[in-house]
Amino acid sequence: MTKVVVISDTHLTPAAPDIETWEKFAKWCTVFQPEVIIHLGDVADFQSCVWLKKDRGDYTLDEEVCNVSDHLTAFEEVLEKYNKGRRAGHRKMYKPHKILCIGNHDKRTEESEKAVRDIFKGWDIYDYQDPCIIEGIMFCHNTFKDSMSAKELLENYHCS
């Protein structure tokens, strides 16, 4: 059985940076070594991209993108540092399969979705509502049809 860890809806925003949590998560991954790391989307709020101007946040898309990039860079740097030590000791490196399922906030605009895809380069990226299936379990930001029941999922996709 594959060890999978799932995170979701981190809704990163420059108003509340939390790089330390991403570093702790990366350290946790080096200890428990899940084979697959899945982020189920809504990486950031991307308030700068909401439809109504009155609802837009205080930050530009560039500032929001930079914030997401900083968080993922901190995560990846912890993994790289861990592997550097492993390499120096001629030990097996930790290289999890990393997956991102695009969420509705990530795709508020073409620009925000492109930015997320660029930041998560090297990860397997699934389109919004496109399921990733691992050992009979479907991972997706949300199902294709909000009204699809568990029975319909099983009948149509042969997974839970």
Side-chain angles (χ1 to χ4, degrees):
M1 180 172 285
T2 303
K3 289 190 333 187
V4 178
V5 65
V6 178
I7 59 174
S8 181
D9 295 273
T10 49
H11 289 277
L12 297 173
T13 173
D18 197 9
I19 289 175
E20 186 178 316
T21 297
W22 281 66
E23 291 170 335
K24 287 179 182 178
F25 175 58
K27 288 175 185 171
W28 181 92
C29 288
T30 64
V31 172
F32 293 98
Q33 300 208 344
E35 298 161 68
V36 181
I37 299 171
I38 302 174
H39 193 305
L40 287 181
D42 282 1
V43 174
D45 270 338
F46 291 118
Q47 283 298 112
S48 63
C49 301
V50 295
W51 180 254
L52 293 174
K53 284 185 180 182
K54 71 176 184 71
D55 293 335
R56 292 187 184 154
D58 297 328
Y59 301 95
T60 65
L61 178 59
D62 287 343
E63 290 170 321
E64 291 177 302
V65 167
C66 185
N67 183 58
V68 172
S69 181
D70 290 347
H71 284 77
L72 190 63
T73 297
F75 173 83
E76 295 290 352
E77 283 176 350
V78 170
L79 296 184
E80 287 173 24
K81 182 178 177 184
Y82 174 81
N83 281 329
K84 184 177 180 182
R86 305 288 294 178
R87 191 178 307 111
H90 303 287
R91 291 174 287 178
K92 183 179 178 184
M93 296 196 308
Y94 174 55
K95 294 191 176 197
H97 180 184
K98 296 179 274 190
I99 298 169
L100 170 67
C101 298
I102 297 290
N104 57 306
H105 281 243
D106 305 324
K107 62 180 262 87
R108 283 195 195 260
T109 63
E110 287 180 24
E111 292 84 9
S112 63
E113 183 175 354
K114 181 184 180 324
V116 168
R117 288 176 179 277
D118 289 346
I119 292 167
F120 281 80
K121 192 173 190 138
W123 289 51
D124 286 341
I125 300 176
Y126 287 77
D127 290 332
Y128 180 61
Q129 297 184 320
D130 186 11
C132 163
I133 300 172
I134 299 173
E135 294 182 13
I137 299 174
M138 178 188 297
F139 299 91
C140 190
H141 184 72
N142 66 348
T143 55
F144 335 99
K145 299 176 184 173
D146 291 329
S147 61
M148 190 177 285
S149 68
K151 181 182 177 194
E152 290 171 314
L153 281 171
L154 286 168
E155 289 171 350
N156 293 316
Y157 297 96
H158 311 290
C159 61
S160 48

